[in-house]
């Protein structure tokens, strides 16, 4: 009777498929997935439990060079996840270019086992898969290499088996029926943010933050209010759209997803607020939970 438990960090470049993989592994839509880079700003935990195992996944922001304060703080999450991980899953898109970088160096030096997961093989030939497996073997000499399609779920079960095999013997860290350590408010704000990423272009998604200001569960309905924070009035106008048409779309799509997520009716109110240069202001970052 030896229970195994541990922390598994999923790292890799933006859009490699980290969030898609974590959702496939956890089996719930825990982390938001969009085609745009840097959707994932927080460390998001998803937990897989069975009788003898507890796997705690953290899905990290893509590995990038910090350009402004927010990104620096995003990178701290990545660094942290390399240090406290029992297993590191390094996800790489089969078609992405990898030059020598800081991250590869850190992966070579870490004492945690590293598995390289070559993703999106549904979009490649067998030859390409073979080549990339050789490439990563030579570059990192990792403990394991898997070729997978996170999107189609191809080769995902063997990865789960590998993780269970490598987990240290440890009692559970969290209650066994707990799905995640993030609050419902957090998931609601992530769902709203996902809609913003999908509905607007260019700088808008990167200039916004979402804070759930009120969350009230009533017998027949859950009432939620959220603030969408932007940096300038011009962004506020774009977000709201002509006669409020755009913000209405965000609200409708987000409400539908939240209703599905909590399996109940939702009344969602959105407010747009301007805070100049929030990305560079540490005190605001702290409020949004970016300060570790
Ligand atoms: P992240 O930035 O690393 O978290 O990447 P995401 O999980 O958000 O995925 C980025 C994009 O790649 C999304 O459009 C996904 O649908 C897509 N994607 C992820 N995994 C696969 C895969 O196995 N095959 C294909 N064709 N697309 C994928
Ligand atoms: K992404
Ligand atoms: Mg992601």
């Amino acid at each position: 009777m030896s229970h195994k438990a541990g922390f598994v960090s999923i790292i890799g470049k933006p859009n490699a498929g980290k969030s898609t993989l974590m959702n496939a592994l956890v089996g719930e839509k825990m982390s938001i997935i969009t085609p745009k880079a840097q959707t994932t700003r927080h460390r998001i935990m998803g937990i897989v439990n069975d009788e003898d195992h507890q796997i705690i996944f953290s899905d990290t922001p893509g590995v990038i060079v910090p350009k402004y304060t927010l990104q620096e703080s995003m990178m701290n999450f990545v660094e942290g996840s390399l240090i406290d991980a029992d297993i590191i899953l390094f996800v790489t898109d089969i078609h992405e270019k990898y030059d020598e970088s800081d991250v590869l160096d850190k992966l070579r030096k870490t004492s945690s086992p590293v598995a390289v997961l070559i993703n999106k093989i549904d979009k490649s030939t067998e030859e390409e898969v073979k080549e990339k497996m050789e490439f990563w073997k030579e570059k990192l000499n990792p403990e394991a290499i898997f070729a997978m399609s996170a999107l189609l779920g191809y080769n995902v079960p063997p990865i789960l088996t590998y993780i269970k095999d490598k987990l240290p013997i440890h009692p559970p860290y969290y209650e066994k029926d707990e799905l995640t350590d993030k609050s419902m408010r957090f998931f609601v704000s992530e769902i709203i943010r996902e809609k913003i990423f999908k509905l607007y272009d260019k700088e808008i998604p990167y200039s916004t933050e979402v804070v759930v200001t009120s969350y009230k569960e009533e017998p027949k309905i859950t009432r939620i209010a959220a603030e969408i924070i932007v940096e300038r009035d011009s962004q506020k106008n774009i977000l709201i759209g002509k006669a409020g048409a755009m913000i209405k779309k965000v609200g409708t799509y987000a409400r539908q997803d939240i209703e599905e997520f909590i399996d109940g009716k939702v009344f969602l109110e959105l407010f747009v607020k301007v805070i100049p240069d929030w990305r560079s202001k540490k005190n605001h970052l702290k409020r949004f939970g970016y300060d570790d």
Side-chain angles (χ1 to χ4, degrees):
M1 267 273 301
S2 49
H3 189 276
K4 290 175 149 193
F7 291 83
V8 178
S9 286
I10 305 176
I11 71 156
K13 281 192 183 177
N15 284 336
K18 300 177 295 298
S19 301
T20 307
L21 173 70
M22 199 192 78
N23 294 335
L25 289 164
V26 175
E28 282 268 333
K29 195 167 182 258
M30 282 290 163
S31 183
I32 61 171
I33 301 162
T34 81
K36 290 198 176 92
Q38 293 168 47
T39 312
T40 313
R41 287 179 189 158
H42 295 261
R43 279 183 75 178
I44 297 173
M45 313 268 241
I47 303 180
V48 168
N49 287 304
D50 66 24
E51 209 176 318
D52 306 316
H53 303 87
Q54 181 168 76
I55 314 167
I56 303 137
F57 291 102
S58 79
D59 171 23
T60 60
V63 172
I64 41 162
V65 180
K67 271 206 205 103
Y68 44 84
T69 318
L70 171 59
Q71 289 189 350
E72 270 170 38
S73 158
M74 284 163 67
M75 288 313 291
N76 292 338
F77 286 108
V78 177
E79 299 265 332
S81 66
L82 282 179
I83 293 159
D84 66 22
D86 293 299
I87 300 164
I88 295 166
L89 303 179
F90 176 58
V91 180
T92 168
D93 182 328
I94 188 155
H95 292 123
E96 92 197 332
K97 294 246 178 328
Y98 249 99
D99 302 322
E100 267 318 301
S101 75
D102 223 27
V103 175
L104 296 187
D105 222 37
K106 287 204 174 77
L107 285 174
R108 283 188 200 102
K109 285 178 190 147
T110 180
S111 54
S112 323
V114 175
V116 172
L117 312 183
I118 301 166
N119 192 28
K120 309 196 188 182
I121 61 166
D122 54 293
K123 289 201 304 191
S124 71
T125 64
E126 246 173 82
E127 272 307 297
E128 287 173 307
V129 173
K130 264 191 204 154
E131 259 171 49
K132 273 289 145 100
M133 291 191 76
E134 279 305 312
F135 172 86
W136 283 111
K137 197 168 173 219
E138 214 161 276
K139 211 159 185 87
L140 276 183
N141 193 27
E143 200 177 81
I145 304 182
F146 293 89
M148 65 163 183
S149 168
L151 192 64
L152 304 183
Y154 175 71
N155 243 357
V156 172
I159 295 166
L160 206 53
T161 307
Y162 167 82
I163 294 166
K164 286 182 182 175
D165 190 48
K166 290 286 156 197
L167 277 184
I169 290 174
H170 198 280
Y173 290 91
Y174 298 93
E175 295 292 324
K176 292 282 285 238
D177 62 2
E178 198 173 10
L179 269 174
T180 172
D181 70 343
K182 296 284 184 185
S183 68
M184 284 309 301
R185 284 177 186 236
F186 177 77
F187 284 113
V188 166
S189 71
E190 287 289 90
I191 287 168
I192 297 167
R193 227 156 52 74
E194 180 187 45
K195 301 310 165 204
I196 295 168
F197 265 83
K198 285 195 168 145
L199 288 168
Y200 300 88
D201 296 326
K202 288 179 199 146
E203 104 267 32
I204 293 291
Y206 300 104
S207 314
T208 57
E209 189 46 76
V210 177
V211 181
V212 174
T213 49
S214 128
Y215 190 102
K216 287 188 200 120
E217 281 175 86
E218 292 173 9
K220 289 207 171 114
I221 199 164
T222 301
R223 292 179 193 278
I224 303 169
E227 279 177 4
I228 299 171
I229 319 260
V230 291
E231 296 185 299
R232 289 192 298 274
D233 282 325
S234 58
Q235 293 163 342
K236 180 175 173 173
N237 292 337
I238 296 170
L239 255 172
I240 291 172
K242 272 212 180 84
M246 285 303 286
I247 195 74
K248 201 171 166 189
K249 266 193 192 170
V250 174
T252 304
Y253 293 145
R255 179 182 50 75
Q256 287 166 353
D257 270 21
I258 299 164
E259 286 184 336
E260 197 179 314
F261 190 79
I262 68 171
D263 198 18
K265 269 192 109 37
V266 165
F267 177 75
L268 176 66
E269 266 186 305
L270 298 177
F271 303 92
V272 183
K273 195 169 162 181
V274 179
I275 302 178
D277 289 328
W278 70 261
R279 276 187 297 186
S280 311
K281 285 182 182 160
K282 275 278 185 190
N283 57 333
H284 286 303
L285 290 178
K286 212 169 209 140
R287 182 176 158 219
F288 297 135
Y290 288 126
D291 215 292
D292 221 356

